[in-house]
Amino acid sequence: MSEAIDKDANEYSSIIETVISEAKKMGATASEVSLGIETGLSVSARMGEVETLEYNHDKGLGITVYKGGHKGSASTSDFALNAVRDSVKAACRIAEYTAEDNCAGLADKELMAWNYPDLNLSHPWDIDSNSAVDLALECEDAGRHFDKRITNSEGASVSSHGGLHVYGNSHGFIGSYPTTRHSVSCSMIGQDGDVMQRDYWYSVSRDANRLQAAKAIGEESARRTLARLNGRRIATNKYPVIFSADVASSLIGHFIAAIKGGSLYRKTSFLLDAIDTQIFPEWFNACEDPHLKMGLGSAPYDSEGVVTSSREFVKEGVLKSYILSSYSARRLGLVTTGNAGGLHNLMVKTGDKSLTELIKTMHKGLLVTELMGQGVNGITGDYSRGAAGFWIDHGEIQYPVEEITIAGNLKTMFSTMLEIGNDVDERKNIKTGSILLDEMTVAGE
Amino acid sequence: MSQHIEKASKVLFEPSGLKHADLASILSDIVAHHGVDNADLYFQDTRYESWSLEDGIVRDGTYGIDRGVGVRALSGEKTGFAYSDDISLSALVDAASTVKAIARQGEQGKIQLPFKSKKISALYQPIDPLSSMQENEKIELLEAVDAEARRQDARVTQVFVSLAASKDVIMVAASDGVLAGDIRPMVRMSVSVVVEQKGLREQGSSGGGGRVAYGYFLDQDRALNYAREAVRQALLKLEAIDAPAGNMTVVLGAGWPGVLLHEAIGHGLEGDFNRKGSSAFSGRMGEKVASDLCTVVDNGTLEDRRGSLSIDDEGTPAQNTTLIENGILKNYMQDKMNARLMGMSPTGNGRRESYAHLPLPRMTNTYMLAGKQSQEEIISTVKNGLFAVNFGGGQVDITSGKFVFSASEAYLIENGKVTVPVKGATLVGNGPDVLTRVSMVGNDLKLDDGVGTCGKEGQSVPVGVGQPTLKIDEITVGGTST
């Protein structure tokens, strides 16, 4: 897989150069191209048998042209010269109809990542389909045989993907870097009485050697499933709440969405004009680390070729920076933060308590381990989502809780955070520990 | 339909000179492998475009082409799958040699030749919606929608409008002898507005579409009505009070609130989950799962609708399948593989996002049939409760049956009358339980406007939902007001 990628990098760069010169011939004043190829293998096993064997091979090319402030885009999965030329033509044609937008265009030339680091993101996994199936079977067996209350399975899967991303623009910038992503996951079904429950666990890494052992993943999926059996509802009231680390990243994700340039210039954020204001408690700090070696969210440059760099977004609870692309920055009269295409590894500074200790601190309340539905209003910060988890009393888990909702307003939820545990979920682009909140409205019985 | 096969062959095979005989030889080669029961090939050519307006001007447009072929080999419950974005004989040969490795032993499969193409009645015209309107007319349409939204109220501060179309040409060839083609148009418009009053901001949205040409948005002033509706919803939220929290009687409005059926019932009745025994509805065929008043269907045969398909992605003609009849569970939704393994018949629900995805049992247009009462009568019977008229998204855990969905427009009902609007109401419940609490069904069956997209195992497909006004005796509402 890696050999093919190395061999192809030059070929793809020359496709990009062709596109840029074709666009210029057709009257574009600027243009940019991003090209991606990905190959991979996914296998799944269920009830002790292989279930699916999937070979992935994807490629795509996206072109954006600018004629002055007029923009047009096109994409194609066919890299043949005439198909590429047709796509350039289609993009140029669209630019004849779009209105002039003074903010449209490439990122500034001096911001390009002319020298970018190797972030060690590619670790091809030399695994054939038989070995992948064996690994999935091992994982699934470990889950199914964990306990007799595990009565069924949704299977285990093993996947390995590798790709090459190439980006170039008419500033003369061209960059490429390979990435890999491997994962093992497992989902079990348990039953005690009438009601079934399912839960899952997974491991993901750029390097297969860093994946959690298949057996451990299977067992953890079973353990989590069993913990949910015989769930109850709790009485409607206000309670302290802990978001476990894997769901806490979604809570921070709502903050991220609210400080993105697009939400700000469109005025669809509940955090307008919040720069330099206190959003979180004073102990809260969050920064971006785009050059984390082997990081799942790492990138040497953003989707406009702008160099990425580490940045403090929240310092002592105060918002220090928005998340901007060159376009949203121009709309706001600011400078891009190298976040076209998104955020690269957000690290939320943790406290020193484990989840168990955090539960002891809460003493009584709700531990949320699953969130459902889309009840978040990004413009007001109103929050109301389905949830499941555990009832905590006397600092210990009492019983599983299900079929409830938790509600509040994100602004209040952020400012009334009490503590963050040290149990960071390293699988996420937003890396945070479990979060203890002062109080939320819980609707149940 | 044979006309569609001709047209589809031209689009899909002409560039590489691929022949129907090549499809037969590839399929024969796959099923000749020991242990392979069935195989199919799915060819697709998609052309799409979208235009978007913001701040009164059309700032962006995009056009794209995606072509490819998916090759699948089936062996009992096992599936081997590969795809290529190159529609050629050599790509097919490569894919065929990898997918048949799924089976290691057993009988050889049989191929049914020659291919048979059933006559199928097309549910939509084989048009190209992208070229159904001139570019400058598309721009004018977007600008007219923006102007209409701003004209509604001075508190409108932002308007976003998008217009999108696609033309999908597909062909299926399978070892069971099926050869079928389809030409599938789709258009979609979305309008979203922001309103502001005394520093408070709210957002409203609306939209619609179907398997038609762009002219659909001009007919009956549909596009302008989306603008009016988006503004109405946004302004209403400015006045809304916090939703109550706790258990109460809920009246669901007609149309889009049918997303409840989709989430709470529909997913649990998909064949794959029931074959594997992982659905809360598994093994309950013939049992009472809803009140006598409830009859729910999945109907892929409605003309021009977003969720409709003349044939599904395995070449099976669309059907109108009764899922629940007077409260009794009657049928699951099936693709070919799950139907075969469960000893049932395919129901035309085998769908895939694209050639690069495996078919799964998926919904088409899922809705509850009308009952007898008017909406006024139903509301008048509720002393205290919630009237939920419009919803955002929802989600279900098909194993435990737990579902959740968020109301984007809802009102309190007090003493049999609809009173103040509330915001932030999330409904949470249990799928196998919720329809047993339906105590009244309205006479006002309505389908949604053509905006639904359903996600399952990472694959998105367009769907429709609908229902008449429903009264549910008790459901948990998650608001902030206790």
Side-chain angles (χ1 to χ4, degrees):
Chain A
M1 189 191 307
S2 65
E3 275 170 41
I5 284 172
D6 290 342
K7 194 189 71 193
D8 292 343
N10 288 330
E11 184 191 328
Y12 294 131
S13 296
S14 82
I15 293 175
I16 288 189
E17 282 160 11
T18 307
V19 170
I20 290 170
S21 81
E22 285 290 322
K24 196 172 176 187
K25 275 188 229 164
M26 293 184 207
T29 51
S31 60
E32 57 188 326
V33 190
S34 84
L35 181 155
I37 60 162
E38 188 180 271
T39 58
L41 170 71
S42 310
V43 304
S44 66
R46 181 177 170 269
M47 305 308 277
E49 298 265 6
V50 56
E51 187 174 40
T52 59
L53 190 53
E54 281 189 56
Y55 297 89
N56 310 114
H57 183 87
D58 295 287
K59 64 186 210 290
L61 178 78
I63 303 164
T64 301
V65 302
Y66 302 92
K67 291 187 168 184
H70 303 266
K71 181 183 175 189
S73 319
S75 64
T76 177
S77 58
D78 186 350
F79 292 180
L81 184 62
N82 55 350
V84 169
R85 204 175 273 155
D86 284 350
S87 294
V88 178
K89 206 180 285 177
C92 287
R93 186 175 141 73
I94 287 167
E96 283 167 29
Y97 292 97
T98 50
E100 182 158 22
D101 181 349
N102 294 331
C103 297
L106 303 178
D108 294 349
K109 191 171 179 176
E110 61 272 21
L111 298 174
M112 294 295 114
W114 297 105
N115 293 298
Y116 54 87
D118 176 359
L119 301 179
N120 199 16
L121 304 179
S122 179
H123 296 266
W125 189 3
D126 186 20
I127 189 168
D128 62 20
S129 57
N130 286 336
S131 315
V133 166
D134 289 344
L135 198 59
L137 287 168
E138 183 193 341
C139 180
E140 209 245 356
D141 280 348
R144 270 189 308 123
H145 298 132
F146 186 76
D147 188 292
K148 64 176 192 316
R149 289 169 298 163
I150 297 293
T151 51
N152 199 345
S153 158
E154 292 208 303
S157 65
V158 172
S159 81
S160 172
H161 289 84
L164 180 72
H165 314 264
V166 194
Y167 170 84
N169 62 33
S170 54
H171 287 324
F173 176 80
I174 191 153
S176 72
Y177 60 94
T179 61
T180 53
R181 190 181 175 90
H182 316 290
S183 69
V184 178
S185 67
C186 190
S187 175
M188 286 291 132
I189 294 176
Q191 188 161 3
D192 196 355
D194 281 349
V195 179
M196 293 189 291
Q197 293 288 351
R198 68 173 172 182
D199 210 329
Y200 66 97
W201 192 245
Y202 70 99
S203 178
V204 57
S205 179
R206 299 261 181 219
D207 180 354
N209 293 316
R210 298 197 172 203
L211 290 172
Q212 202 179 348
K215 183 165 177 276
I217 294 165
E219 288 173 353
E220 182 61 16
S221 70
R223 201 173 287 124
R224 290 172 68 90
T225 301
L226 295 172
R228 296 174 71 126
L229 290 173
N230 303 313
R232 302 185 217 165
R233 306 179 73 197
I234 50 178
T236 300
N237 208 334
K238 291 188 194 303
Y239 302 108
V241 170
I242 294 173
F243 282 71
S244 72
D246 51 338
V247 294
S249 60
S250 77
L251 188 57
I252 303 297
H254 299 310
F255 162 68
I256 295 305
I259 60 163
K260 275 192 174 159
S263 321
L264 297 168
Y265 79 73
R266 294 187 178 105
K267 295 195 162 60
T268 53
S269 164
F270 65 94
L271 290 177
L272 290 186
D273 304 317
I275 202 87
D276 292 328
T277 65
Q278 192 85 32
I279 308 292
F280 294 94
E282 277 176 15
W283 49 263
F284 188 100
N285 292 280
C287 64
E288 188 189 22
D289 186 4
H291 294 182
L292 188 67
K293 292 274 167 18
M294 291 179 60
L296 287 162
S298 299
Y301 51 84
D302 76 358
S303 66
E304 299 180 300
V306 172
V307 62
T308 48
S309 55
S310 59
R311 183 178 300 272
E312 261 181 334
F313 284 104
V314 183
K315 188 180 180 186
E316 294 173 355
V318 174
L319 178 64
K320 300 310 287 182
S321 174
Y322 294 131
I323 297 175
L324 306 171
S325 64
S326 67
Y327 181 77
S328 62
R330 285 183 200 124
R331 291 292 298 265
L332 293 162
L334 299 168
V335 178
T336 176
T337 55
N339 289 109
L343 195 67
H344 313 104
N345 306 315
L346 186 83
M347 327 295 272
V348 176
K349 194 176 169 202
T350 62
D352 47 20
K353 285 184 185 166
S354 66
L355 177 59
T356 311
E357 289 165 323
L358 209 57
I359 288 171
K360 282 205 163 38
T361 304
M362 179 167 74
H363 192 71
K364 184 173 182 173
L366 181 68
L367 168 64
V368 174
T369 55
E370 189 190 28
L371 291 166
M372 284 178 85
Q374 291 99 33
V376 181
N377 182 338
I379 202 164
T380 59
D382 288 336
Y383 185 101
S384 174
R385 298 189 70 186
F390 299 90
W391 178 246
I392 307 295
D393 201 357
H394 297 96
E396 283 179 7
I397 289 179
Q398 300 297 321
Y399 50 83
V401 173
E402 61 179 4
E403 211 180 321
I404 56 165
T405 66
I406 56 173
N409 184 281
L410 287 167
K411 263 191 184 172
T412 317
M413 289 159 68
F414 292 158
S415 67
T416 58
M417 281 182 182
L418 296 176
E419 279 186 71
I420 296 189
N422 62 6
D423 55 334
V424 175
D425 186 350
E426 298 286 352
R427 303 169 299 182
K428 301 282 170 70
N429 189 29
I430 294 172
K431 296 178 202 306
T432 174
S434 298
I435 298 177
L436 170 60
L437 295 182
D438 184 37
E439 186 179 86
M440 290 186 74
T441 303
V442 177
E445 281 182 321
Chain B
M1 207 63 197
S2 61
Q3 189 194 352
H4 280 182
I5 288 177
E6 245 166 66
K7 277 189 187 163
S9 299
K10 198 169 148 65
V11 170
L12 296 163
F13 303 150
E14 209 161 72
S16 65
L18 209 60
K19 301 272 182 296
H20 289 182
D22 297 325
L23 313 187
S25 74
I26 292 288
L27 289 169
S28 303
D29 174 56
I30 301 173
V31 297
H33 191 80
H34 286 281
V36 174
D37 314 318
N38 286 290
D40 63 5
L41 310 175
Y42 181 86
F43 299 89
Q44 185 180 27
D45 177 294
T46 303
R47 316 260 152 163
Y48 56 92
E49 69 168 7
S50 71
W51 298 86
S52 58
L53 175 144
E54 198 178 297
D55 294 329
I57 56 173
V58 176
R59 290 170 187 268
D60 208 353
T62 189
Y63 172 81
I65 302 175
D66 196 5
R67 281 166 64 84
V69 55
V71 178
R72 177 170 67 146
L74 296 166
S75 170
E77 299 186 33
K78 304 184 181 105
T79 303
F81 179 59
Y83 57 89
S84 168
D85 47 29
D86 175 22
I87 300 179
S88 70
L89 187 57
S90 64
L92 282 172
V93 170
D94 282 353
S97 72
T98 51
V99 298
K100 61 192 180 189
I102 187 67
R104 293 178 190 168
Q105 56 211 357
E107 299 282 300
Q108 292 181 349
K110 289 198 186 75
I111 181 160
Q112 313 280 328
L113 287 172
F115 287 126
K116 284 185 287 289
S117 300
K118 280 189 204 158
K119 188 160 166 47
I120 293 150
S121 50
L123 300 172
Y124 28 82
Q125 300 301 310
I127 51 162
D128 175 15
L130 284 72
S131 60
S132 67
M133 195 180 258
Q134 297 296 313
E135 260 63 359
N136 57 339
E137 293 170 327
K138 294 172 194 169
I139 307 281
E140 282 164 20
L141 173 60
L142 286 162
E143 290 171 347
V145 171
D146 174 74
E148 183 66 15
R150 291 176 190 279
R151 206 171 63 80
Q152 298 304 302
D153 198 289
R155 289 170 289 178
V156 174
T157 56
Q158 302 271 336
V159 181
F160 314 106
V161 195
S162 73
L163 183 67
S166 63
K167 182 193 180 191
D168 223 2
V169 177
I170 67 118
M171 183 118 102
V172 190
S175 61
D176 60 6
V178 164
L179 182 71
D182 198 9
I183 295 170
R184 301 171 175 168
M186 184 77 86
V187 297
R188 170 90 154 83
M189 177 179 267
S190 317
V191 184
S192 168
V193 304
V194 178
V195 295
E196 190 169 342
Q197 173 179 281
K198 296 178 196 144
L200 271 182
R201 275 167 297 111
E202 277 290 358
Q203 199 159 8
S205 58
S206 179
R211 297 195 178 279
V212 291
Y214 277 135
Y216 175 81
F217 297 120
L218 299 176
D219 296 344
Q220 301 167 33
D221 273 353
R222 282 193 183 93
L224 300 182
N225 283 328
Y226 300 149
R228 294 166 195 148
E229 173 62 14
V231 174
R232 187 189 68 78
Q233 284 189 24
L235 292 175
L236 192 79
K237 285 187 199 166
L238 286 176
E239 312 300 327
I241 61 167
D242 286 342
N247 291 326
M248 61 196 74
T249 300
V250 173
V251 176
L252 299 172
W256 178 248
V259 68
L260 176 134
L261 299 174
H262 175 102
E263 294 297 344
I265 313 294
H267 280 294
L269 299 182
E270 290 169 339
D272 47 353
F273 299 130
N274 288 283
R275 171 176 65 81
K276 297 175 188 176
S278 61
S279 164
F281 288 97
S282 297
R284 300 196 59 189
M285 192 66 83
E287 289 183 23
K288 190 119 191 307
V289 296
S291 82
D292 294 345
L293 304 168
C294 299
T295 295
V296 179
V297 301
D298 181 81
N299 186 356
T301 70
L302 303 170
E303 271 188 20
D304 294 342
R305 290 207 70 90
R306 183 173 164 87
S308 298
L309 291 171
S310 301
I311 52 166
D312 74 3
D313 296 326
E314 298 182 306
T316 307
Q319 292 180 23
N320 181 359
T321 306
T322 300
L323 304 174
I324 294 170
E325 188 171 25
N326 301 326
I328 308 290
L329 179 55
K330 289 289 182 183
N331 283 293
Y332 296 131
M333 289 167 278
Q334 297 285 13
D335 62 351
K336 279 186 187 174
M337 174 178 158
N338 288 289
R340 176 169 49 86
L341 292 169
M342 292 180 81
M344 296 176 176
S345 298
T347 53
N349 291 90
R351 303 185 65 185
R352 60 203 295 172
E353 180 179 312
S354 79
Y355 68 88
H357 299 87
L358 277 169
L360 296 169
R362 302 295 294 264
M363 286 174 258
T364 60
N365 304 296
T366 313
Y367 54 91
M368 184 183 288
L369 302 189
K372 293 193 169 61
Q373 276 104 0
S374 71
Q375 189 177 84
E376 293 74 29
E377 263 178 276
I378 294 174
I379 288 171
S380 71
T381 63
V382 180
K383 185 155 182 353
N384 283 301
L386 191 79
F387 179 40
V389 184
N390 211 336
F391 285 93
Q395 193 183 338
V396 64
D397 175 336
I398 51 106
T399 301
S400 66
K402 302 293 180 274
F403 67 80
V404 58
F405 55 125
S406 310
S408 59
E409 180 181 351
Y411 305 81
L412 292 183
I413 304 175
E414 295 169 290
N415 296 317
K417 296 239 164 8
V418 173
T419 59
V420 287
V422 297
K423 61 181 177 181
T426 294
L427 305 193
V428 55
N430 182 0
D433 190 40
V434 67
L435 287 194
T436 63
R437 301 187 191 180
V438 170
S439 60
M440 293 176 98
V441 176
N443 56 13
D444 53 349
L445 168 63
K446 206 177 119 194
L447 299 183
D448 76 289
D449 291 327
V451 295
T453 297
C454 167
K456 173 176 173 183
E457 294 181 23
Q459 294 193 42
S460 296
V461 297
V463 295
V465 301
Q467 66 175 34
T469 300
L470 293 185
K471 177 179 166 187
I472 300 176
D473 278 344
E474 190 180 88
I475 194 163
T476 303
V477 177
T480 48
S481 171
T482 46

